[in-house]
Amino acid sequence: MTSVGSLPEVVGLCPQLRDARKVLYFHENQLVYPTQCVKERDYQFGYNHIMSALMADLVLFNSTYNLDSFVGSINSFLNKMPDYKPKGIAELIRKKSQVLHFPVEFTVERRVIRDPKVLHIVWPHRWEHDKNPDDFFTSLQSLISSGLDFKVSVLGKTYQDVPDIFREFQAANPGYIAQWGPLDSREEYLNHLETCDVIVSTAVHEFYGVAMLEGLWAGCFPLCPNRLSYPEIYPKECLFNTPAQLAKQLRQLCKNPGLARRKWEKVVGEVDMRPYSWDGLKERYSEVLGIGQ
């Protein structure tokens, strides 16, 4: 099962599973979630993750960052408990943990990269605070203030509580927007990625980044923060340390949109996509899950 559920509760409700081999997959972890205001339920989510990992026979993580950040936060998380604080939990969980990437379905043909006259930037993430939209839109605003031309597509899922920065940017800058909001189908989404030149993340909470990998496959040069799971995947030329560095890179690409193509060609020569694809991962999944044995 995935880490969304509580493995001890599942086994309690279905005792026939007690002796079954239990594999738990962490696509994210709540121990390092950047909460805006701490609530009691936030502790419960993290506690459920730890108890589930203890009960599992094998614990899988989609990235090294996910594994290290989870195990490395267990002791400090448990120290917040008012009463008994168990020892050695992190070591027990690390011993039975492995990294197994989530398989991305690269279904589209790689496009023939064109020389764009106007840079097309895409931001394909959830419209929530942990994806740090403020830094992204602040960088775009600096491009506008410099008199530079570009198009932007803001994709991803929207929820009830959307940060104000989305509404503010859309209202102030309609002439720069190529697409605003999610597309109707996955096929439309992938086709739209093929029209973009640069894909950007400014996240403060990310454990893998499927959308960034899909964008790279579709022909977009990736720009990501030098933190979280990104340094595991992308070379240094794709990483920035500050919003000012992001804005500087985007400014350079706006002035010379064809540079995005040449940068993309260099990156795809350095990043092997097979370890993130189903074709490259299916044998490992079969081995770990005991399928076909």
Side-chain angles (χ1 to χ4, degrees):
M1 66 177 288
T2 73
S3 58
V4 173
S6 170
L7 184 55
E9 289 182 11
V10 171
V11 175
L13 291 169
C14 189
Q16 303 95 304
L17 296 176
R18 184 186 61 184
D19 297 325
R21 181 170 179 262
K22 292 171 275 295
V23 179
L24 182 68
Y25 193 91
F26 277 87
H27 64 90
E28 56 93 38
N29 80 74
Q30 289 290 317
L31 299 194
V32 293
Y33 186 78
T35 52
Q36 291 180 298
C37 55
V38 177
K39 301 176 183 177
E40 184 177 347
R41 66 182 179 89
D42 297 320
Y43 291 110
Q44 188 61 50
F45 290 150
Y47 186 76
N48 288 347
H49 277 185
I50 294 171
M51 293 301 104
S52 293
L54 274 175
M55 173 162 274
D57 298 297
L58 175 62
V59 186
L60 301 173
F61 294 83
N62 58 357
S63 68
T64 300
Y65 167 73
N66 195 1
L67 191 163
D68 289 344
S69 64
F70 178 74
V71 175
S73 299
I74 288 174
N75 289 337
S76 60
F77 183 89
L78 293 177
N79 282 338
K80 298 174 184 176
M81 297 174 63
D83 298 315
Y84 175 69
K85 300 175 177 62
K87 306 295 183 183
I89 300 297
E91 291 76 13
L92 285 173
I93 292 173
R94 184 177 286 279
K95 286 179 182 178
K96 54 182 175 180
S97 296
Q98 297 179 25
V99 174
L100 182 59
H101 297 309
F102 176 82
V104 182
E105 189 177 7
F106 299 121
T107 55
V108 297
E109 293 288 335
R110 275 184 165 159
R111 67 178 172 129
V112 177
I113 306 299
R114 55 181 173 75
D115 273 317
K117 294 182 179 179
V118 177
L119 190 73
H120 190 172
I121 303 166
V122 61
W123 193 86
H125 313 286
R126 285 185 287 104
W127 293 24
E128 292 188 305
H129 78 278
D130 63 305
K131 299 306 178 185
N132 192 18
D134 291 70
D135 279 359
F136 177 67
F137 288 117
T138 298
S139 296
L140 295 190
Q141 202 63 55
S142 74
L143 301 180
I144 294 170
S145 299
S146 298
L148 296 170
D149 197 13
F150 64 89
K151 296 185 296 181
V152 63
S153 290
V154 180
L155 312 179
K157 293 182 179 180
T158 60
Y159 296 89
Q160 185 174 357
D161 296 323
V162 174
D164 291 341
I165 190 72
F166 287 93
R167 174 184 52 79
E168 293 167 0
F169 184 88
Q170 182 188 24
N173 305 289
Y176 291 90
I177 296 171
Q179 169 64 32
W180 193 261
L183 293 155
D184 292 333
S185 68
R186 176 170 171 77
E187 182 180 7
E188 285 185 67
Y189 166 72
L190 294 174
N191 287 339
H192 192 80
L193 285 182
E194 293 182 4
T195 71
C196 303
D197 305 299
V198 182
I199 185 167
V200 177
S201 170
T202 45
V204 293
H205 181 250
E206 182 60 78
F207 297 96
Y208 190 50
V210 170
M212 295 299 291
L213 284 167
E214 289 173 335
L216 175 59
W217 179 263
C220 301
F221 172 61
L223 284 173
C224 328
N226 188 18
R227 57 177 178 255
L228 311 173
S229 60
Y230 296 122
E232 294 177 45
I233 301 172
Y234 302 99
K236 289 183 178 180
E237 56 263 39
C238 300
L239 306 175
F240 57 86
N241 293 306
T242 65
Q245 289 181 359
L246 170 61
K248 181 179 179 180
Q249 290 224 47
L250 290 175
R251 193 174 295 114
Q252 181 187 37
L253 294 171
C254 282
K255 292 177 179 178
N256 184 4
L259 182 61
R261 179 196 65 185
R262 297 191 291 277
K263 284 179 172 285
W264 174 82
E265 289 173 343
K266 184 175 185 296
V267 171
V268 294
E270 297 177 17
V271 178
D272 183 3
M273 305 293 281
R274 184 172 170 79
Y276 309 106
S277 70
W278 176 241
D279 284 344
L281 287 166
K282 58 186 176 183
E283 289 186 9
R284 178 90 190 283
Y285 269 88
S286 296
E287 176 187 343
V288 165
L289 298 176
I291 299 172
Q293 296 181 2

